[in-house]
Amino acid sequence: MSTDRFADYGRPRRVDGGLRARSARGAIGRSWWSRRFLEVLESFALGTRLTRGRSYARAGQVLTLDIAPGRVSAVVQGSRPQPYQVSIGLQPFPAALWSRIEAELAGQAFFSARLLAGDLPDELEELFVAAGAPLFPAGVDELTQRCNCPDFAVPCKHLAATFYLLAEAFDADPFELLHWRGRSRAELLDELRARRVEATGAALSPALVAPPSEPDDEMSAVDVAPLGAARALAGLSATPLAESADRFWLPPVPLPDRPPRLVTGPDLLLRQLGAPAPAIGGPGLLERLRRAYRAFGPADR
């Protein structure tokens, strides 16, 4: 085998103007959706490959990142002169499934209000799961990972760097996660607005839009148009207070007993970090820690 194949394992070429991760140390990902995405990836026990990718992401080695329905494309600079082409595929939801999800979202004011305000509430993940469309991949085999570098590992550090920059893209715009799954922000919000209008019957009342029978000379069309809350409330039926008071404090969706969490083995962190240095115990220490973690076990208390 030619040694040229391993030339890529040297130090990466310095990049000016690359996409640099905002987090200089510690964990990457601030929002629940980016942390959840990386938590799922790390649960696949990809080991130090993700660690090397995190270093690439922080060094600004990712030159471009593009998110489209079902596909994330990136260009990543390695140690060779020509940057590598990276793609990560995740099956987008079909149109019929999105239509069903949009109907669910529009039918609950809680979700409509939060999404229209530009936010993805935590409960959104449960709604997608209930609809048979989990937002996040359940296994690494759901992801199609490609990079034209000579590294046999999947993911290689170029793919891993793209994963971390993708998580930060979800921080910057949470709707990019839904875009990856097949719905852009504009498409989703337009559909929600249309469905809310249809569901609430928010057409303007004729009494509000009809001009007076004998308008005086000083009254303009603006004077007879519905303003403010009248425009939003026109056509809505009044709900008697006795029927709504007992529902005032009820949540719009059933709340889980505890926040959703990924079930993983107790030694996941050890598998991610790899063996410690010989000076502090090496693989022997790793095995003792693994046995200790398993002995204590995950306590659901």
Side-chain angles (χ1 to χ4, degrees):
M1 181 181 295
S2 169
T3 57
D4 291 342
R5 177 173 292 277
F6 300 96
D8 184 65
Y9 292 90
R11 294 179 63 84
R13 289 174 176 262
R14 186 179 181 85
V15 171
D16 292 324
L19 304 176
R20 191 183 299 271
R22 290 185 295 274
S23 169
R25 61 179 63 87
I28 289 180
R30 297 173 301 179
S31 58
W32 78 263
W33 46 87
S34 62
R35 291 196 304 269
R36 178 76 168 126
F37 174 63
L38 291 176
E39 181 184 30
V40 168
L41 286 178
E42 290 164 358
S43 75
F44 299 155
L46 302 176
T48 57
R49 285 170 278 173
L50 286 179
T51 303
R52 292 195 298 269
R54 189 163 56 235
S55 298
Y56 260 54
R58 285 176 169 150
Q61 299 302 120
V62 179
L63 304 179
T64 65
L65 182 73
D66 180 67
I67 303 172
R71 181 183 175 88
V72 171
S73 303
V75 177
V76 184
Q77 179 67 63
S79 60
R80 293 184 174 182
Q82 188 68 24
Y84 297 114
Q85 303 294 319
V86 172
S87 70
I88 304 170
L90 180 63
Q91 188 69 30
F93 300 141
L97 182 54
W98 265 114
S99 181
R100 190 164 77 247
I101 291 171
E102 287 161 349
E104 289 284 338
L105 294 174
Q108 301 185 42
F110 170 77
F111 286 117
S112 295
R114 293 284 293 273
L115 289 169
L116 291 170
D119 185 29
L120 264 62
D122 295 20
E123 296 84 356
L124 193 69
E125 182 181 1
E126 293 300 307
L127 184 144
F128 273 81
V129 170
L135 275 174
F136 302 99
V140 70
D141 57 325
E142 292 185 24
L143 296 167
T144 303
Q145 304 176 65
R146 293 192 174 92
C147 178
N148 62 347
C149 75
D151 192 346
F152 291 113
V154 177
C156 61
K157 51 183 171 285
H158 315 108
L159 278 160
T162 303
F163 278 127
Y164 281 110
L165 266 295
L166 181 58
E168 288 208 338
F170 295 158
D171 272 334
D173 183 358
F175 285 85
E176 291 288 15
L177 174 59
L178 304 183
H179 188 202
W180 195 21
R181 279 299 203 178
R183 267 297 183 271
S184 70
R185 172 197 286 261
E187 291 170 335
L188 178 62
L189 298 188
D190 286 349
E191 184 65 24
L192 287 182
R193 292 188 188 100
R195 287 177 180 268
R196 288 294 296 170
V197 169
E198 180 181 356
T200 58
L204 299 180
S205 168
L208 290 172
V209 297
S213 56
E214 294 182 1
D216 57 43
D217 294 338
E218 297 180 357
M219 181 174 290
S220 67
V222 174
D223 296 319
V224 297
L227 300 175
R231 182 186 297 273
L233 299 177
L236 295 180
S237 59
T239 302
L241 180 61
E243 296 180 16
S244 58
D246 61 338
R247 295 183 51 80
F248 184 80
W249 297 110
L250 293 180
V253 294
L255 297 178
D257 294 334
R258 63 183 65 186
R261 63 184 180 87
L262 193 67
V263 178
T264 59
D267 59 345
L268 172 62
L269 181 60
L270 296 178
R271 287 183 281 143
Q272 294 295 325
L273 294 178
I280 60 173
L285 175 61
L286 181 68
E287 184 56 33
R288 289 194 294 274
L289 288 173
R290 181 177 290 111
R291 289 199 298 268
Y293 277 143
R294 288 173 177 169
F296 289 115
D300 292 329
R301 295 189 282 270

